[in-house]
Amino acid sequence: MMLQKCITSQRIPWQAVVVADQTVADLHLDRLVPCLPPSPVVLTFQTGEASKSLTRVEQLCEQLADARVERQAVVVAFGGGVAGDLAGFVAAVWLRGVRFVQVPTSLLAAVDAAVGGKTGVNLRAGKNLIGAFHQPLAVIVDTDFLQTLAARDFAAGLAESVKHAVIRDPEFLNWHEAHAGEIVGRDPAVISHLIARNCEIKAVVVARDEREAGPRAILNYGHTIGHALEHLLGYELRHGECVALGMLAENELACARGWLGRPEADRVRNLLARLGLPVALAQPVQPDDVWAACQVDKKVRDAAVHFVLVRSVGDPMRVTDISAAEVARALQAIQPP
Ligand SMILES: NC(=O)c1ccc[n+]([C@@H]2O[C@H](COP(=O)([O-])OP(=O)(O)OC[C@H]3O[C@@H](n4cnc5c(N)ncnc54)[C@H](O)[C@@H]3O)[C@@H](O)[C@H]2O)c1
Ligand SMILES: [Zn+2]
C-alpha cells in the first residue's frame, strides 16, 4: 500500500518498464504492477550476479527496442542490488538515458545499492568495471518485501549497515549492538529505522561527492579485499559476506599499523558474527591471488591499490601504500580455522 502511494504520487506521465530479477518477479510482481500506470512492459532476467553483464544489457536493450520503449519511459528496477545496478545501467544507456526508479527488495539494496546513482555491470577482469552514474528519480522501499528474503541474503545486507556505522556513526554502531536480536528477528520497526538511517548516511556522503572524486571513497571500506574475494571465489559468496570478511581483514591492516585498537576490531568481529555474517572463509585463499585481484582497481585508476582503513569508529582514512606482505598477514585473520 505504501508502495502504491509513493509511486502514484509522482505526478509525471510515464510509461513503466519494469526490469525485474526473476525470483523477485515470481514472488512480488503482482504487488508492484497495480502501483504502476496500466500495461507496463515487464522484462525479467535470471537471478544472480552473472546477470550483471554486457550480454544481459544488450538483451534487455533489444527487448526495449522490440517493445518500442521511448524517451519518456521510466525504468523500474525491481529486485536486489543486481537488479538496481543492471536496470540502472540499462536506463543510463537506453536512448542515451531515461529516468528510473529503484524499488529495492533485498536488504542490501535498500540500505546501500539503491542509493547513490552508481549503476553498472561486471567484466571478466573484475566487478563493476563498466558503468555510469545515473541517479534514480526515487528510491521506494517497502519493508514487506524483505519478509521473503533468505536468511543469508538478509545477513548480507547487514554487512553494509555495519560498514556505514563504522565509517560514519559510532552511535549507530552502538545501536546495532543493542538491537542485534531484533535486527536478526526482522522486527519491522527496528528494520525501518535501520534502513532509514543507512539511506541518510549514504545520501550525505554521496551528496558531497557524487562522482567519487574524493570523500565518497570511504564507502569502499571493506571493499578492496571484499571485491577481490568475491571475484576470486567465483561469486559463490554473497557481496555482503565478502564485505564482512573484507572489513575484518582491512581492520587487521589498520591494527597492524597501530591505528585501530584491538578492542574496536574485536567489537566489529563480534557484531558481524551476531548478525549471522561469516567471520572466516570456508576455504583457504592464497594471499598472492587476493593481492592480484586487488590490482584490478590499480590497473584502472593509478599506480596504487586503494584501501579505506579506520583509525577508530567514525574515522576512516584512505591509504595507498599497503604492501602485498601486509595483506598476506591480515588475511590470516579470516583464513579457515
Ligand atoms: N550500486 C551500488 O552502489 C552498490 C552498492 C552495494 C552493492 N552493489 C551491488 O549489489 C549487488 C548485491 O546486491 P544483493 O545482495 O541485493 O544481490 P541480488 O540482487 O543478487 O539479491 C540477492 C538474492 O536475493 C534475492 N531476493 C531479492 N529480493 C528478494 C525478496 N524480497 N525475497 C526473496 N528473495 C529476494 C535475489 O533473487 C537474489 O537471489 C552486487 O552486485 C553489488 O556489486 C551495488
Ligand atoms: Zn558493497
Side-chain angles (χ1 to χ4, degrees):
M1 209 46 180
M2 192 192 84
L3 182 65
Q4 183 150 22
K5 238 186 270 164
C6 289
I7 293 189
T8 50
S9 68
Q10 305 272 323
R11 289 206 182 78
I12 32 172
W14 56 307
Q15 176 196 19
V17 179
V18 180
V19 176
D21 172 305
Q22 186 64 60
T23 306
V24 174
D26 291 345
L27 287 165
H28 299 299
L29 194 62
D30 57 348
R31 283 194 53 208
L32 177 73
V33 167
C35 308
L36 302 173
S39 313
V41 174
V42 177
L43 308 178
T44 58
F45 63 85
Q46 199 180 342
T47 297
E49 184 72 27
S51 279
K52 271 178 61 174
S53 71
L54 281 175
T55 309
R56 195 73 72 212
V57 171
E58 187 179 0
Q59 282 168 358
L60 289 167
C61 287
E62 294 287 0
Q63 289 174 292
L64 294 177
D66 291 345
R68 298 179 192 282
V69 170
E70 297 179 359
R71 266 225 173 82
Q72 293 70 25
V74 177
V75 170
V76 179
F78 191 49
V82 168
D85 282 9
L86 174 64
F89 185 66
V90 166
V93 296
W94 175 248
L95 302 178
R96 300 197 179 83
V98 296
R99 296 168 298 178
F100 90 113
V101 172
Q102 292 268 22
V103 182
T105 63
S106 74
L107 185 63
L108 189 136
V111 300
D112 188 351
V115 178
K118 274 192 187 177
T119 71
V121 296
N122 306 326
L123 284 184
R124 264 195 307 278
K127 267 186 72 90
N128 303 329
L129 292 180
I130 304 282
F133 289 99
H134 192 52
Q135 290 295 346
L137 282 178
V139 179
I140 300 167
V141 185
D142 188 330
T143 51
D144 285 353
F145 289 135
L146 300 178
Q147 294 304 332
T148 53
L149 201 57
R152 195 172 162 189
D153 290 306
F154 188 80
L158 295 174
E160 303 280 13
S161 184
V162 172
K163 175 192 81 175
H164 286 147
V166 171
I167 57 172
R168 288 287 295 187
D169 188 346
E171 262 306 302
F172 194 37
L173 192 69
N174 297 341
W175 179 89
H176 280 81
E177 290 171 327
H179 296 279
E182 293 138 287
I183 293 172
V184 173
R186 305 188 199 187
D187 178 285
V190 168
I191 295 304
S192 291
H193 174 73
L194 180 133
I195 292 171
R197 183 66 194 126
N198 272 288
C199 291
E200 273 167 19
I201 291 174
K202 182 153 183 196
V204 167
V205 173
V206 171
R208 283 189 195 147
D209 177 23
E210 194 180 337
R211 304 224 152 200
E212 202 168 306
R216 181 173 178 164
I218 62 167
L219 297 170
N220 294 332
Y221 165 56
H223 281 63
T224 304
I225 291 180
H227 276 163
L229 293 173
E230 201 175 353
H231 183 60
L232 205 62
L233 301 173
Y235 300 99
E236 277 185 13
L237 288 185
R238 304 287 195 272
H239 173 76
E241 293 172 335
C242 291
V243 170
L245 293 164
M247 289 191 286
L248 293 175
E250 292 176 16
N251 283 353
E252 292 300 314
L253 291 172
C255 286
R257 289 216 170 180
W259 294 328
L260 186 68
R262 177 56 57 195
E264 282 193 296
D266 287 346
R267 223 185 127 188
V268 175
R269 172 182 289 265
N270 292 339
L271 178 59
L272 292 172
R274 284 177 71 197
L275 296 176
L277 283 153
V279 292
L281 288 156
Q283 61 193 78
V285 290
Q286 291 300 324
D288 286 350
D289 294 343
V290 176
W291 183 246
C294 289
Q295 307 291 311
V296 172
D297 275 356
K298 174 174 150 178
K299 275 191 219 125
V300 295
R301 285 199 219 170
D302 55 35
V305 179
H306 292 238
F307 285 86
V308 175
L309 303 185
V310 284
R311 285 172 287 210
S312 63
V313 174
D315 186 14
M317 174 177 57
R318 286 184 291 155
V319 183
T320 54
D321 65 344
I322 296 289
S323 68
E326 285 176 285
V327 169
R329 275 194 297 277
L331 287 171
Q332 287 169 10
I334 58 164
Q335 295 284 14

